[in-house]
Amino acid sequence: MDPKTKYLLSLRAIRDRANVVGEIAKAGNLTHFEIHEDKLDDAVDFVASVIKRDFGPDKFHAIPPHGRWQHFEVGGIPRIANLLDQWAREGCDITEVTRRLIDLFFVSVLLDAGAGDHWRYTEPGTGHTYERSEGIAVASLHMFNGFAFTDSHAEGIPIVNGRGLERLETAVLAQGFQVSDENPMLGVDSRAALLRSLGQSLLAHPDVFGAEGRPGNLVDYLVTKTKESESANLDVLVLWDVLQTLLIPAWPKNRTTVAGTPIGDAWPLKILQRGHGANTKSPDAEADAEADATAEGIQPFHKLTQWLTYSLMVPFQRVLGLQWSNADSLTALPEYRNGGLFVDLGVLSLKKETLARGLAASGGDLPLFDASDDAIVEWRAMTLVLIDKLYSKIQSRIGDGVHLTMAQLLEAGTWKSGREIAAQRRPQTKSSPILIKSDGTVF
């Protein structure tokens, strides 16, 4: 692989490139946004107030790391704990328990992109109705328990395997999500296609996932690698390389490429192109659909892969008692809740021309852009910049002797705060202040 391409697939590149964007912003040279640094302290105070409300004054240590696990507990129902109890009664050892959680979290995270403002899921048995990420989590759990993601029903054990994903029909996924004309969900076709591609990729890597292409076999692979390295901890960077190798071939084929190699959730950005004199074009423009992008003009995010990484780390910690090194290599997640926080609180505002273009596209009160639009890429890059700044300031608001990891900040702070301010400002839809036309595989 070309060294520049390999770099763009790395965690390091995400923050490196965002820092360049931050310097450009400091000079007042963003293309689509104005930055109002004087409002950043207000955002820090708001996030700190949410964290202290929920975990203060003496429960900050109980903040869980950001991950999929919490979404399954929506409504105060301990669904994962119930599963663990059931599996323990069946004589399942902790290694197999971890494998099953990795199976579940793998598909649930990759299904976890924006469902839209109108989709809801009514849980069988409880009758409770959920939406957005939590609704997708609960729906995916019921599909997992119903053997939707495997071709094997051996001994009644729910797992995920490559053959089951490879054969997954869109209609089965739509049924599992209770999709109908009255309950529409964005990107069902794209989600099903992503899981089918994932199945093929799992089967193509038997050295990690076994002949059956089971995500849970990642447990054995990582534990073995750790023993071979004679390290006490698992390594996030090893997990990251495995996930990128697995997922890059599975993403939609219209994503950005460099030297003929697809690079996933990484996009051309004009302000980076100007800085490097690159001639990079949007990968979804018809005339340039197959054109290679120049590496220097690309801002990588790899949001779903990072969300998956955060989520997969947790079962290793909670069930196997293993810890991770290089966890600080992960960044904030550049998605609409974290990014919307800074727009709603006035730290970022769209420039007039870009705002007018977005409003014309939506025909409503909120601007709308494609996920690959330069305005969205710039917004996502600035989200990374601003959360890093917020993270450096939040400790002084929380109190002496308290240290939050980035994963804890995302869980109890920015993501939750972004959702809450959206509900306050737009109670009917709770939507982001900037709307994104997504295919269900980015956000």
Side-chain angles (χ1 to χ4, degrees), residues 13 16 20-21 29 42 54 147 177 367 382 396 408 421 425 427 430 441:
D16 282 355
V20 173
V21 173
N29 292 326
D42 293 339
D54 294 341
F147 303 97
F177 280 130
M382 285 305 302
S396 64
Q408 289 176 310
I421 195 69
R425 301 289 174 88
K430 304 173 186 173
T441 64

PDB file of all heavy atoms in Angstrom, residues 13 16 20-21 29 42 54 147 177 367 382 396 408 421 425 427 430 441:
ATOM      1  N   ALA A  13      -3.559  10.228  11.635  1.00  0.00           N
ATOM      2  CA  ALA A  13      -3.890  11.174  10.567  1.00  0.00           C
ATOM      3  C   ALA A  13      -5.150  11.970  10.874  1.00  0.00           C
ATOM      4  O   ALA A  13      -5.293  13.123  10.443  1.00  0.00           O
ATOM      5  CB  ALA A  13      -4.049  10.430   9.243  1.00  0.00           C
ATOM      6  N   ASP A  16      -4.048  14.764  13.216  1.00  0.00           N
ATOM      7  CA  ASP A  16      -3.063  15.592  12.510  1.00  0.00           C
ATOM      8  C   ASP A  16      -3.754  16.555  11.552  1.00  0.00           C
ATOM      9  O   ASP A  16      -3.492  17.763  11.551  1.00  0.00           O
ATOM     10  CB  ASP A  16      -2.096  14.720  11.698  1.00  0.00           C
ATOM     11  CG  ASP A  16      -1.022  14.059  12.542  1.00  0.00           C
ATOM     12  OD1 ASP A  16      -0.949  14.345  13.751  1.00  0.00           O
ATOM     13  OD2 ASP A  16      -0.268  13.232  11.982  1.00  0.00           O
ATOM     14  N   VAL A  20      -4.484  20.841  11.489  1.00  0.00           N
ATOM     15  CA  VAL A  20      -4.216  21.782  10.393  1.00  0.00           C
ATOM     16  C   VAL A  20      -5.450  22.646  10.147  1.00  0.00           C
ATOM     17  O   VAL A  20      -5.350  23.872   9.978  1.00  0.00           O
ATOM     18  CB  VAL A  20      -3.821  21.025   9.105  1.00  0.00           C
ATOM     19  CG1 VAL A  20      -3.711  21.987   7.931  1.00  0.00           C
ATOM     20  CG2 VAL A  20      -2.513  20.267   9.302  1.00  0.00           C
ATOM     21  N   VAL A  21      -6.605  22.014  10.140  1.00  0.00           N
ATOM     22  CA  VAL A  21      -7.859  22.763   9.957  1.00  0.00           C
ATOM     23  C   VAL A  21      -8.041  23.768  11.093  1.00  0.00           C
ATOM     24  O   VAL A  21      -8.473  24.905  10.871  1.00  0.00           O
ATOM     25  CB  VAL A  21      -9.064  21.799   9.882  1.00  0.00           C
ATOM     26  CG1 VAL A  21     -10.379  22.566   9.854  1.00  0.00           C
ATOM     27  CG2 VAL A  21      -8.947  20.903   8.652  1.00  0.00           C
ATOM     28  N   ASN A  29      -9.779  31.571   8.099  1.00  0.00           N
ATOM     29  CA  ASN A  29      -9.824  31.200   6.686  1.00  0.00           C
ATOM     30  C   ASN A  29     -10.646  29.945   6.394  1.00  0.00           C
ATOM     31  O   ASN A  29     -10.408  29.265   5.383  1.00  0.00           O
ATOM     32  CB  ASN A  29      -8.398  31.003   6.160  1.00  0.00           C
ATOM     33  CG  ASN A  29      -7.633  32.314   6.110  1.00  0.00           C
ATOM     34  OD1 ASN A  29      -8.208  33.366   5.854  1.00  0.00           O
ATOM     35  ND2 ASN A  29      -6.335  32.244   6.388  1.00  0.00           N
ATOM     36  N   ASP A  42     -18.752  29.051  27.173  1.00  0.00           N
ATOM     37  CA  ASP A  42     -20.162  28.747  27.440  1.00  0.00           C
ATOM     38  C   ASP A  42     -20.456  27.277  27.152  1.00  0.00           C
ATOM     39  O   ASP A  42     -21.200  26.616  27.894  1.00  0.00           O
ATOM     40  CB  ASP A  42     -21.076  29.632  26.579  1.00  0.00           C
ATOM     41  CG  ASP A  42     -21.005  31.099  26.969  1.00  0.00           C
ATOM     42  OD1 ASP A  42     -20.592  31.387  28.109  1.00  0.00           O
ATOM     43  OD2 ASP A  42     -21.360  31.944  26.128  1.00  0.00           O
ATOM     44  N   ASP A  54     -25.386  14.670  36.410  1.00  0.00           N
ATOM     45  CA  ASP A  54     -25.610  13.223  36.353  1.00  0.00           C
ATOM     46  C   ASP A  54     -24.643  12.418  37.214  1.00  0.00           C
ATOM     47  O   ASP A  54     -24.983  11.309  37.641  1.00  0.00           O
ATOM     48  CB  ASP A  54     -25.511  12.741  34.901  1.00  0.00           C
ATOM     49  CG  ASP A  54     -26.636  13.300  34.025  1.00  0.00           C
ATOM     50  OD1 ASP A  54     -27.656  13.742  34.583  1.00  0.00           O
ATOM     51  OD2 ASP A  54     -26.476  13.298  32.786  1.00  0.00           O
ATOM     52  N   PHE A 147     -31.452 -14.865  15.485  1.00  0.00           N
ATOM     53  CA  PHE A 147     -30.579 -15.525  14.504  1.00  0.00           C
ATOM     54  C   PHE A 147     -30.602 -14.856  13.122  1.00  0.00           C
ATOM     55  O   PHE A 147     -30.396 -15.510  12.107  1.00  0.00           O
ATOM     56  CB  PHE A 147     -30.947 -17.005  14.357  1.00  0.00           C
ATOM     57  CG  PHE A 147     -30.904 -17.782  15.643  1.00  0.00           C
ATOM     58  CD1 PHE A 147     -32.057 -18.002  16.380  1.00  0.00           C
ATOM     59  CD2 PHE A 147     -29.703 -18.280  16.122  1.00  0.00           C
ATOM     60  CE1 PHE A 147     -32.021 -18.707  17.581  1.00  0.00           C
ATOM     61  CE2 PHE A 147     -29.647 -18.992  17.317  1.00  0.00           C
ATOM     62  CZ  PHE A 147     -30.818 -19.206  18.051  1.00  0.00           C
ATOM     63  N   PHE A 177     -36.360  -3.964  11.792  1.00  0.00           N
ATOM     64  CA  PHE A 177     -36.440  -2.573  12.223  1.00  0.00           C
ATOM     65  C   PHE A 177     -37.870  -2.022  12.190  1.00  0.00           C
ATOM     66  O   PHE A 177     -38.079  -0.834  12.441  1.00  0.00           O
ATOM     67  CB  PHE A 177     -35.546  -1.687  11.342  1.00  0.00           C
ATOM     68  CG  PHE A 177     -34.091  -1.733  11.702  1.00  0.00           C
ATOM     69  CD1 PHE A 177     -33.133  -1.961  10.726  1.00  0.00           C
ATOM     70  CD2 PHE A 177     -33.670  -1.535  13.009  1.00  0.00           C
ATOM     71  CE1 PHE A 177     -31.778  -1.990  11.051  1.00  0.00           C
ATOM     72  CE2 PHE A 177     -32.329  -1.568  13.341  1.00  0.00           C
ATOM     73  CZ  PHE A 177     -31.373  -1.791  12.354  1.00  0.00           C
ATOM     74  N   PRO A 367     -30.613  24.072   7.306  1.00  0.00           N
ATOM     75  CA  PRO A 367     -29.848  23.774   6.086  1.00  0.00           C
ATOM     76  C   PRO A 367     -29.608  22.274   5.927  1.00  0.00           C
ATOM     77  O   PRO A 367     -29.474  21.546   6.915  1.00  0.00           O
ATOM     78  CB  PRO A 367     -28.540  24.523   6.291  1.00  0.00           C
ATOM     79  CG  PRO A 367     -28.399  24.627   7.779  1.00  0.00           C
ATOM     80  CD  PRO A 367     -29.792  24.754   8.329  1.00  0.00           C
ATOM     81  N   MET A 382     -13.905  20.556  12.295  1.00  0.00           N
ATOM     82  CA  MET A 382     -13.951  21.525  13.380  1.00  0.00           C
ATOM     83  C   MET A 382     -14.534  20.921  14.655  1.00  0.00           C
ATOM     84  O   MET A 382     -14.192  21.353  15.763  1.00  0.00           O
ATOM     85  CB  MET A 382     -14.759  22.758  12.957  1.00  0.00           C
ATOM     86  CG  MET A 382     -14.016  23.687  12.005  1.00  0.00           C
ATOM     87  SD  MET A 382     -12.404  24.218  12.662  1.00  0.00           S
ATOM     88  CE  MET A 382     -12.877  25.017  14.218  1.00  0.00           C
ATOM     89  N   SER A 396     -11.009  21.696  34.814  1.00  0.00           N
ATOM     90  CA  SER A 396     -11.095  22.778  35.794  1.00  0.00           C
ATOM     91  C   SER A 396     -12.530  23.031  36.234  1.00  0.00           C
ATOM     92  O   SER A 396     -12.772  23.549  37.327  1.00  0.00           O
ATOM     93  CB  SER A 396     -10.498  24.068  35.214  1.00  0.00           C
ATOM     94  OG  SER A 396     -11.259  24.511  34.098  1.00  0.00           O
ATOM     95  N   GLN A 408     -14.963   8.950  28.378  1.00  0.00           N
ATOM     96  CA  GLN A 408     -15.941   9.375  29.380  1.00  0.00           C
ATOM     97  C   GLN A 408     -16.543  10.736  29.033  1.00  0.00           C
ATOM     98  O   GLN A 408     -17.742  10.971  29.248  1.00  0.00           O
ATOM     99  CB  GLN A 408     -15.276   9.433  30.760  1.00  0.00           C
ATOM    100  CG  GLN A 408     -14.951   8.068  31.341  1.00  0.00           C
ATOM    101  CD  GLN A 408     -14.211   8.180  32.664  1.00  0.00           C
ATOM    102  OE1 GLN A 408     -13.215   8.901  32.774  1.00  0.00           O
ATOM    103  NE2 GLN A 408     -14.705   7.481  33.672  1.00  0.00           N
ATOM    104  N   ILE A 421     -29.372  19.721  24.005  1.00  0.00           N
ATOM    105  CA  ILE A 421     -29.588  21.064  23.467  1.00  0.00           C
ATOM    106  C   ILE A 421     -30.424  20.996  22.194  1.00  0.00           C
ATOM    107  O   ILE A 421     -31.244  21.880  21.921  1.00  0.00           O
ATOM    108  CB  ILE A 421     -28.239  21.801  23.240  1.00  0.00           C
ATOM    109  CG1 ILE A 421     -28.470  23.298  23.049  1.00  0.00           C
ATOM    110  CG2 ILE A 421     -27.471  21.241  22.070  1.00  0.00           C
ATOM    111  CD1 ILE A 421     -28.936  24.023  24.280  1.00  0.00           C
ATOM    112  N   ARG A 425     -33.925  23.000  21.581  1.00  0.00           N
ATOM    113  CA  ARG A 425     -34.090  23.952  20.482  1.00  0.00           C
ATOM    114  C   ARG A 425     -35.124  23.477  19.456  1.00  0.00           C
ATOM    115  O   ARG A 425     -35.812  24.301  18.844  1.00  0.00           O
ATOM    116  CB  ARG A 425     -32.745  24.164  19.775  1.00  0.00           C
ATOM    117  CG  ARG A 425     -31.635  24.690  20.656  1.00  0.00           C
ATOM    118  CD  ARG A 425     -31.848  26.148  21.041  1.00  0.00           C
ATOM    119  NE  ARG A 425     -30.871  26.625  21.998  1.00  0.00           N
ATOM    120  CZ  ARG A 425     -29.687  27.161  21.685  1.00  0.00           C
ATOM    121  NH1 ARG A 425     -29.322  27.257  20.417  1.00  0.00           N
ATOM    122  NH2 ARG A 425     -28.896  27.593  22.637  1.00  0.00           N
ATOM    123  N   PRO A 427     -37.801  20.693  19.768  1.00  0.00           N
ATOM    124  CA  PRO A 427     -38.451  19.611  20.524  1.00  0.00           C
ATOM    125  C   PRO A 427     -39.263  18.642  19.673  1.00  0.00           C
ATOM    126  O   PRO A 427     -39.427  17.486  20.062  1.00  0.00           O
ATOM    127  CB  PRO A 427     -39.346  20.360  21.516  1.00  0.00           C
ATOM    128  CG  PRO A 427     -39.512  21.736  20.943  1.00  0.00           C
ATOM    129  CD  PRO A 427     -38.258  22.023  20.199  1.00  0.00           C
ATOM    130  N   LYS A 430     -35.998  16.968  17.457  1.00  0.00           N
ATOM    131  CA  LYS A 430     -34.735  16.745  18.177  1.00  0.00           C
ATOM    132  C   LYS A 430     -33.559  16.583  17.203  1.00  0.00           C
ATOM    133  O   LYS A 430     -32.556  15.948  17.510  1.00  0.00           O
ATOM    134  CB  LYS A 430     -34.825  15.515  19.085  1.00  0.00           C
ATOM    135  CG  LYS A 430     -35.978  15.576  20.070  1.00  0.00           C
ATOM    136  CD  LYS A 430     -36.141  14.263  20.823  1.00  0.00           C
ATOM    137  CE  LYS A 430     -37.393  14.288  21.685  1.00  0.00           C
ATOM    138  NZ  LYS A 430     -37.676  12.979  22.312  1.00  0.00           N
ATOM    139  N   THR A 441     -24.559   4.901   6.325  1.00  0.00           N
ATOM    140  CA  THR A 441     -23.260   4.231   6.529  1.00  0.00           C
ATOM    141  C   THR A 441     -22.178   5.209   6.984  1.00  0.00           C
ATOM    142  O   THR A 441     -21.011   4.827   7.066  1.00  0.00           O
ATOM    143  CB  THR A 441     -22.778   3.539   5.238  1.00  0.00           C
ATOM    144  OG1 THR A 441     -22.544   4.536   4.234  1.00  0.00           O
ATOM    145  CG2 THR A 441     -23.798   2.537   4.739  1.00  0.00           C
TER     146      THR A 441
END
